[in-house]
């Protein structure tokens, strides 16, 4: 066969032309090659490349046709296109904002930034709360205490079978029915709950909180980067990457950064004066209803994921731990949970992505998240295509970032086989 092209080791079949039959043949050749029982021919490789290029050109052509048609229709109707409207002055007020916003002074770009921060606030708070509550409910469902197990089972079935939008409206209306500030419920010293939301102590104008948050973010990124280096075998950090060390740094470094910045470290405790509270900060009824409703709804699904992950660990692991004299809590923490994480993390990632997408339901209770602000912006400017594009890109970026983080964590807890 010297001087001729390489041929298959299996009996040769007739070569089909391009098209669906050719594509099936290339697919079959690829699978066979992965199994190591067949080799490519130069004709097969060229045919595969040509087919893929034609598919890419077809998809690109359809996309170009849709964009050109849309722009042409908008131009014929006198609708302006582009993103120059982002620098126009906004006249509408925004009720919930982490940064300063003055109607008639600031632009749509700043309003979108506020909407993005509000979306991240809701998503982050719900992810933390639903993970804690869901883990507790999932473990409690496996408790030998029949009353506790059945109660948690009833909670899961009742919550996950009611539409999430209905739950949000329920919690929002419930908060609005709470007493006025003069008769507010006192949860703890400085913490009050009334029909105007949850009032809690704060530090100054929020600058100190921002510095502490940024410092904490740097600590988290540094730990992720260090873990990646250790996983690749470039640097060995040993016990420096343990959870206790992380918790100490996550608490001490933000506090040190606030002290070094000279910001106020004395909390501003809210005090009732007249008909309302003075001082402190407020979680508005809209934000409170969103966090409570989405957290309770998602925690039911997280509980089932945790329960399934624990049941997925072979029973012999528990029996072996008990034979070694380990107690139930130590067995759960040291033996069961680490192995269950390999089963829990992939579906848990999907639930986190669902939380991010469900945050767009904030418009139902009047909370100004990214979707609500873009919706108002479209009503003012009429530039719907640009607005929808901004929403898609923002949610896509957030979801991909969360997915990448969860995939990294999943690889870090995966069982390595050699």
């Amino acid at each position: 066969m010297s001087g001729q092209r390489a041929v298959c080791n299996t009996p040769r079949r007739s070569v089909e032309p391009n098209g669906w039959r050719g594509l099936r043949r290339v697919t079959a050749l690829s699978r066979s090659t992965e199994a190591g029982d067949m080799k490519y021919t130069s004709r097969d490789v060229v045919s595969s490349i040509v087919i893929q290029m034609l598919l890419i050109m077809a998809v690109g052509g359809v996309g170009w046709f849709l964009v050109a048609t849309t722009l042409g229709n908008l131009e014929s109707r006198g609708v302006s296109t582009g993103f120059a409207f982002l620098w126009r002055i906004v006249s509408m007020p925004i009720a919930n904002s982490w940064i300063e916003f003055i109607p008639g002074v600031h632009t749509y770009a700043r309003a979108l930034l506020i909407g993005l921060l509000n979306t991240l606030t809701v998503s982050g708070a719900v992810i933390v709360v639903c993970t804690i509550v869901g883990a507790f409910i999932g473990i409690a469902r496996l408790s030998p205490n029949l009353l506790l197990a059945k109660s948690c089972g009833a909670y899961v079935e009742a919550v996950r079978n009611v539409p999430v939008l209905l739950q949000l409206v329920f919690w929002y209306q419930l908060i609005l029915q709470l007493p006025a500030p003069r008769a507010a419920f006192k949860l703890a010293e400085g913490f009050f709950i009334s029909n105007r939301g949850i009032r809690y102590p704060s530090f100054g104008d929020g600058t100190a909180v921002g510095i502490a948050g940024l410092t904490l973010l740097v600590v988290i990124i540094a730990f992720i980067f260090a873990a990646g280096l250790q996983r690749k075998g470039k640097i060995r950090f040993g016990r420096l990457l343990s959870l206790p060390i992380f918790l100490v740094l996550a608490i001490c470094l933000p506090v040190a950064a606030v002290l070094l910045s000279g910001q106020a470290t004395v909390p501003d405790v809210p005090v009732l004066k007249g008909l309302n509270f003075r001082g402190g900060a407020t979680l508005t009824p809209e934000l409170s209803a969103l966090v409570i409703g989405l957290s309770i709804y998602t925690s039911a699904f997280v509980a089932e994921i945790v329960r399934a992950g624990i049941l997925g660990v072979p029973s012999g692991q528990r029996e072996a731990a008990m034979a070694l004299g380990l107690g139930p809590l130590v067995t759960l923490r040291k033996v069961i949970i680490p192995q269950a994480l390999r089963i829990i993390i992939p579906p848990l990632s999907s639930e986190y992505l669902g939380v991010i997408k469900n945050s767009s339901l904030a418009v139902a209770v009047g909370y100004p998240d990214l979707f609500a602000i873009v919706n108002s912006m479209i009503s003012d400017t009429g530039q719907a295509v640009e607005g929808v594009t901004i929403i898609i890109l923002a949610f896509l970026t957030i979801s991909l970032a969360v997915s990448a983080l969860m995939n990294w964590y999943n690889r870090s807890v995966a069982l390595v086989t050699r």
Side-chain angles (χ1 to χ4, degrees):
M1 298 299 290
S2 60
Q4 301 180 6
R5 62 183 182 183
V7 298
C8 306
N9 295 328
T10 56
R12 185 165 183 80
R13 293 169 288 183
S14 61
V15 177
E16 301 291 346
N18 289 340
W20 289 111
R21 292 183 178 179
L23 181 60
R24 286 200 298 270
R25 172 168 168 72
V26 171
T27 305
L29 282 171
S30 302
R31 292 173 179 171
S32 301
T33 303
E34 291 175 357
D37 59 350
M38 189 174 289
K39 297 180 179 178
Y40 281 119
T41 65
S42 58
R43 181 178 178 181
D44 296 326
V45 174
V46 172
S47 176
S48 174
I49 294 175
V50 170
I51 291 174
Q52 294 180 49
M53 291 183 64
L54 290 175
L55 287 174
I56 293 174
M57 291 174 63
V59 173
V62 171
W64 176 84
F65 173 76
L66 293 176
V67 172
T69 303
T70 303
L71 293 177
N73 291 335
L74 291 175
E75 185 176 2
S76 63
R77 288 167 172 77
V79 179
S80 61
T81 57
F83 293 90
F85 69 92
L86 293 176
W87 311 114
R88 295 182 194 168
I89 302 299
V90 187
S91 58
M92 65 176 182
I94 298 178
N96 294 266
S97 175
W98 290 108
I99 58 177
E100 184 183 15
F101 183 81
I102 303 175
V105 175
H106 291 127
T107 62
Y108 279 112
R110 193 178 184 89
L112 291 176
L113 177 60
I114 293 172
L116 180 62
L117 292 176
N118 289 344
T119 296
L120 293 175
T121 300
V122 173
S123 302
V126 172
I127 286 175
V128 172
V129 176
C130 77
T131 302
I132 297 173
V133 177
F136 173 78
I137 298 294
I139 295 173
R141 286 203 69 183
L142 301 173
S143 171
N145 187 317
L146 191 61
L147 178 60
L148 179 61
K150 293 297 181 183
S151 300
C152 293
Y155 168 86
V156 171
E157 295 300 330
V159 168
R160 71 176 180 177
N161 288 304
V162 177
V164 59
L165 180 58
L166 183 60
Q167 295 189 38
L168 292 180
V169 174
F170 168 77
W171 287 110
Y172 183 54
Q173 293 297 327
L174 184 65
I175 292 176
L176 292 181
Q177 301 305 318
L178 291 174
R182 293 178 64 88
F185 296 115
K186 185 176 181 180
L187 303 177
E189 188 62 34
F191 289 84
F192 302 92
I193 180 170
S194 67
N195 60 0
R196 298 191 182 182
I198 302 174
R199 201 85 177 192
Y200 58 93
S202 65
F203 292 89
D205 57 356
T207 305
V209 177
I211 293 174
L214 287 176
T215 307
L216 178 61
L217 182 62
V218 171
V219 172
I220 294 174
I221 294 176
F223 255 74
I224 293 175
F225 184 70
L229 292 178
Q230 180 166 282
R231 181 177 177 80
K232 294 178 180 178
K234 295 182 178 179
I235 301 177
R236 300 295 300 177
F237 292 97
R239 293 183 177 274
L240 291 177
L241 284 179
S242 62
L243 181 60
I245 297 295
F246 170 75
L247 293 177
V248 170
L249 294 178
I251 296 173
C252 294
L253 289 183
V255 173
V258 172
L259 293 175
L260 292 176
S261 66
Q263 295 294 323
T265 56
V266 179
D268 183 14
V269 180
V271 178
L272 181 64
K273 291 183 178 179
L275 299 178
N276 202 354
F277 291 100
R278 297 289 185 272
T282 304
L283 285 180
T284 61
E286 294 80 12
L287 179 57
S288 302
L290 265 179
V291 174
I292 294 173
L294 289 179
S295 299
I296 290 178
Y297 177 77
T298 312
S299 66
F301 295 91
V302 173
E304 287 301 275
I305 292 173
V306 172
R307 185 174 71 92
I310 294 176
L311 291 177
V313 178
S315 59
Q317 298 290 322
R318 184 188 303 273
E319 295 169 359
M322 300 297 287
L324 291 174
L326 300 181
L329 292 180
V330 177
T331 300
L332 181 67
R333 185 166 59 89
K334 295 285 189 180
V335 179
I336 303 301
I337 294 297
Q339 298 183 72
L341 282 177
R342 298 163 187 160
I343 306 173
I344 292 173
I345 296 302
L348 192 61
S349 304
S350 299
E351 285 303 320
Y352 288 169
L353 298 182
V355 168
I356 296 170
K357 288 178 281 189
N358 283 338
S359 67
S360 61
L361 293 174
V363 69
V365 294
Y367 182 71
D369 73 327
L370 180 64
F371 181 78
I373 288 182
V374 171
N375 198 26
S376 301
M377 181 191 70
I378 292 175
S379 300
D380 292 341
T381 63
Q383 295 189 259
V385 176
E386 292 83 353
V388 174
T389 303
I390 290 173
I391 295 176
I392 292 174
L393 292 179
F395 277 97
L396 188 63
T397 302
I398 298 172
S399 298
L400 289 178
V402 172
S403 180
L405 181 62
M406 295 302 293
N407 287 336
W408 167 82
Y409 184 69
N410 186 39
R411 287 194 298 272
S412 68
V413 300
L415 184 62
V416 179
T417 58
R418 300 181 184 278

